[in-house]
Amino acid sequence: MLDAVDCSVSLGGAPVLSGVTIRLGPGEVVAVVGANGAGKSTLLRLLAGEIAPSAGAARLDGRPLSTLHPRALARRRAVMSQASQLAFSFTAAEIVAFGAEAGGAPRRRGEELARRALARVDLAGFENRPVSTLSGGQAQRVHLARALAQVEAAEGDGDGGVPRFLLLDEPTASLDLRHQLHALGVARAMAARGLGVLAILHDLNLAIRAADRIVALAGGRIVADGAPAEVVDDGFVARVYGLALPVGRAPAPGIPFILPQSAPPSAPA
Amino acid sequence: MRASALAPFPAARPRRLGRASILVGLVLLALAAFASLSLGAAGLGPAAVARALGTALGDGRAALDPTTAAIVLDIRLPRAVLAILVGAALGLSGAVMQGLFRNPLADPGLVGVSSGAALAAVTVIVLGRGAEERLPPGLGPYLLPVAAFVGGLAATLVLKRLATVSGRTSVAAMLLVGIALTALFGALTGLLVFVADDGQLRELTFWTMGGLGGATWVKALGALPLMLPLACAAPFMARGLNAAALGEAEAFHLGIDVERLKRLGVLAVAASVGAAVAVSGIIGFVGLLAPHLLRVAVGPDHRALLPASALLGATLLLLADLGARTLVAPAELPIGILTACLGAPVFLWLVLKRRATLGA
């Protein structure tokens, strides 16, 4: 289990997260939502082991992340960050193979895993394209494939029972509608295989559809954590986004939905 | 969207290409080395040199005519070996530094590392008069390389410090700081050379333009130990440098201990460049040219790029040295003139290509 207990994080002297407790278990998809600057990416970096909390503890199976070697960490979790900038002209297959090798795959198997992962994100045939020649959305999917290849390589490691985690920072940003749904479908499929998936999402409706749990951040604190049908209501939208938006109920499956176009110009926070 | 129809880049860059580049690199290096041994003022042709090398290997030096032995074994061979060592060190240093700085413009000669090393070496020559004699026997040849290493390291740390703002190394800042450091270190070196009245101190052109004229076995062996750490570390750094191309956070996500990679890289590059500068002065652009040509030919994967850069750097320097001593024979051109003639246009082209993003 990947968790953070009562964690506070300051970046450059400014508090970004205060007293955050969150856990990510195997087989679940957790969507993190919140306004810009609410601390979503910082929470993800905390769980990735990239930044240490100033108070509290971020742990993997009870061990503080800071005590784990980066290589050991890379075999247990993969991260897709926002818009990474590539320094040299690597091809899509090369980038994805880095993920597979970080997950522990030997080179030849890494190439095979890379091909498969690219196909999973609908980029079959793009193996030898330099990433710099791809569109923003396509490059984004290459990085998603890299994270998939990393956890898949780790799965075939031998100790198959150990749960692995996938941390995705806005995996649907700059994707077209078809590929947004596709990416979340991939996340669900990975969870069905026993992975714990945490994804930062901006589209509440997508988050509601894709996630087992929604964790909402506001001002660096967690203001909601629970199943979408339980936590998403009018008060939730007001607390998280400071918007007075009515939450509707789709007639057939009974899932909440929000139509942003009916929003008043401003609302009390 | 079925992808295959939309992918107009069928040319694969498989692993084989990486291996092939290393084989081709080895062949080119061997050819260049033989050309370098066979051509020169003494008029000993390829056949005579091949015969001399064969005899020396088989029956020993005594079996050779003393003049031939002196020319081939004492003059041309150590010079070729030194060119190979220095060229390989510069090519590899360039490739590693570019990987660490995540930028193809980071060449040790351009950003002040080489001039820092040269300044330290000159300082030791001028101010540390007689220091070499006071060292325990056998350590003398290492004095200048170690001093140059310290100078190169200091320059790298200053560069990194000044060009990095909140964790990001800006390319523009790096180049500008590099210009300032190069100018400052160059001026101080010039000043020291100017006031020095020391037989040991060769003329300023050696330190600013480089040269392999004074090559001896002692020099080559003195430089070697400081060049080895980078050569030995390179295979272990390749995966980390690949991951670093995605960004430092991403490299960490991929299991790389980024801080360790940077520390190791900076130390090893400074040692390697320092050793090169101590024995051959400042030779620019080899570290820029070799990795750049190879990225175009075989791609940016450091697992192939690093060894190939060492091989191509060595080949380039052998050929540049060959040109330096034959083009205006019996005089000798400073070797840095030739490497700059080749490298500066490539540098300019790289800058123009990235002009739009350079401010970033």
Side-chain angles (χ1 to χ4, degrees):
Chain A
M1 192 173 65
L2 188 61
D3 67 355
V5 182
D6 212 10
C7 277
S8 297
V9 173
S10 296
L11 295 178
V16 182
L17 292 176
S18 10
V20 167
T21 296
I22 183 175
R23 48 166 223 90
L24 178 63
E28 64 173 345
V29 176
V30 171
V32 176
V33 301
N36 296 142
K40 301 184 297 295
S41 291
T42 305
L43 177 62
L44 187 128
R45 291 171 64 199
L46 175 74
L47 290 171
E50 201 182 316
I51 44 179
S54 53
R59 308 176 305 181
L60 177 64
D61 296 336
R63 292 182 59 191
L65 293 177
S66 55
T67 64
L68 296 169
H69 190 277
R71 198 180 314 126
L73 218 44
R75 305 217 166 171
R76 294 294 307 277
R77 63 97 183 90
V79 184
M80 171 191 173
S81 6
Q82 271 183 69
S84 41
Q85 238 199 343
L86 189 59
F88 301 106
S89 186
F90 285 101
T91 63
E94 283 173 326
I95 293 295
V96 180
F98 293 165
E101 283 169 41
R107 205 160 166 188
R108 195 173 294 275
R109 187 164 162 263
E111 287 169 8
E112 175 54 35
L113 283 170
R115 232 187 328 276
R116 283 217 317 255
L118 278 170
R120 296 274 304 264
V121 299
D122 202 17
L123 282 176
F126 284 66
E127 285 82 3
N128 298 315
R129 280 276 292 266
V131 174
S132 52
T133 67
L134 298 177
S135 77
Q138 288 171 333
Q140 182 103 353
R141 276 145 60 202
V142 170
H143 291 295
L144 177 61
R146 167 168 61 85
L148 293 178
Q150 188 174 339
V151 285
E152 282 188 337
E155 258 181 354
D157 230 10
D159 52 346
V162 186
R164 289 173 172 90
F165 301 93
L166 197 53
L167 308 175
L168 310 172
D169 196 346
E170 295 194 31
T172 54
S174 63
L175 296 193
D176 59 59
L177 188 55
R178 176 183 139 81
H179 286 109
Q180 287 185 25
L181 293 172
H182 187 82
L184 291 176
V186 170
R188 283 244 55 106
M190 297 307 278
R193 282 163 57 179
L195 265 90
V197 181
L198 180 137
I200 295 175
L201 294 173
H202 270 302
D203 186 323
L204 260 187
N205 291 310
L206 275 183
I208 289 165
R209 280 197 67 91
D212 299 305
R213 247 168 61 216
I214 288 194
V215 171
L217 281 167
R221 293 174 185 280
I222 289 181
V223 295
D225 182 349
E230 287 159 20
V231 298
V232 179
D233 53 24
D234 296 3
F236 172 92
V237 179
R239 276 200 307 281
V240 177
Y241 297 101
L243 283 174
L245 268 180
V247 174
R249 297 273 154 184
I255 42 174
F257 70 95
I258 296 112
L259 282 180
Q261 63 266 41
S262 61
S266 68
Chain B
M1 175 180 58
R2 254 359 282 162
S4 28
L6 295 173
F9 285 83
R13 223 161 43 194
R15 251 175 325 171
R16 289 189 301 282
L17 197 52
R19 283 190 198 141
S21 72
I22 290 167
L23 277 180
V24 171
L26 276 172
V27 171
L28 288 178
L29 176 59
L31 289 176
F34 191 64
S36 166
L37 289 173
S38 308
L39 299 168
L44 273 178
V49 168
R51 221 168 23 246
L53 286 176
T55 314
L57 272 178
D59 309 331
R61 184 187 176 118
L64 279 174
D65 144 54
T67 324
T68 313
I71 291 170
V72 176
L73 301 180
D74 298 337
I75 298 174
R76 288 190 190 167
L77 198 54
R79 185 159 180 161
V81 167
L82 197 65
I84 289 171
L85 287 179
V86 169
L90 292 177
L92 186 56
S93 299
V96 170
M97 209 164 154
Q98 286 148 28
L100 288 173
F101 279 82
R102 309 184 60 232
N103 193 283
L105 297 176
D107 170 71
L110 285 170
V111 295
V113 179
S114 299
S115 38
L119 175 59
V122 170
T123 308
V124 165
I125 295 174
V126 173
L127 303 180
R129 208 174 303 241
E132 201 166 322
E133 284 76 55
R134 269 179 270 123
L135 282 175
L139 289 186
Y142 304 115
L143 177 64
L144 276 193
V146 169
F149 157 50
V150 173
L153 182 62
T156 315
L157 295 178
V158 170
L159 175 75
K160 186 89 187 155
R161 186 69 202 254
L162 294 181
T164 305
V165 183
S166 55
R168 276 185 54 111
T169 306
S170 140
V171 187
M174 178 190 76
L175 292 175
L176 292 174
V177 170
I179 291 170
L181 290 181
T182 306
L184 179 64
F185 295 153
L188 292 174
T189 304
L191 190 67
L192 280 172
V193 172
F194 182 73
V195 301
D197 172 31
D198 193 315
Q200 271 188 316
L201 198 58
R202 280 148 293 172
E203 67 275 40
L204 185 59
T205 45
F206 172 80
W207 294 106
T208 53
M209 293 285 181
L212 292 163
T216 60
W217 287 112
V218 173
K219 271 191 176 179
L221 291 176
L224 188 61
L226 278 172
M227 292 174 171
L228 280 178
L230 184 62
C232 297
F236 301 98
M237 296 172 69
R239 210 174 70 83
L241 293 175
N242 280 345
L246 288 159
E248 289 188 8
E250 284 79 0
F252 170 74
H253 299 151
L254 289 169
I256 304 300
D257 189 337
V258 179
E259 287 311 312
R260 193 166 144 262
L261 175 73
K262 288 198 288 191
R263 269 200 308 274
L264 179 69
V266 164
L267 270 173
V269 165
S272 191
V273 171
V277 168
V279 292
S280 65
I282 298 176
I283 301 174
F285 294 105
V286 176
L288 179 90
L289 207 52
H292 175 69
L293 293 175
L294 288 163
R295 274 190 209 100
V296 174
V298 297
D301 188 337
H302 287 88
R303 284 171 292 202
L305 183 69
L306 295 184
S309 291
L311 291 174
L312 187 59
T315 308
L316 285 174
L317 203 63
L318 273 171
L319 295 177
D321 182 52
L322 185 60
R325 59 195 170 79
T326 53
L327 285 180
V328 293
E332 205 171 289
L333 275 173
I335 193 166
I337 291 181
L338 286 165
T339 57
C341 283
L342 287 171
V346 172
F347 177 71
L348 206 56
W349 181 71
L350 276 173
V351 169
L352 289 177
K353 214 174 63 164
R354 341 183 97 235
R355 198 161 35 172
T357 57
L358 214 56

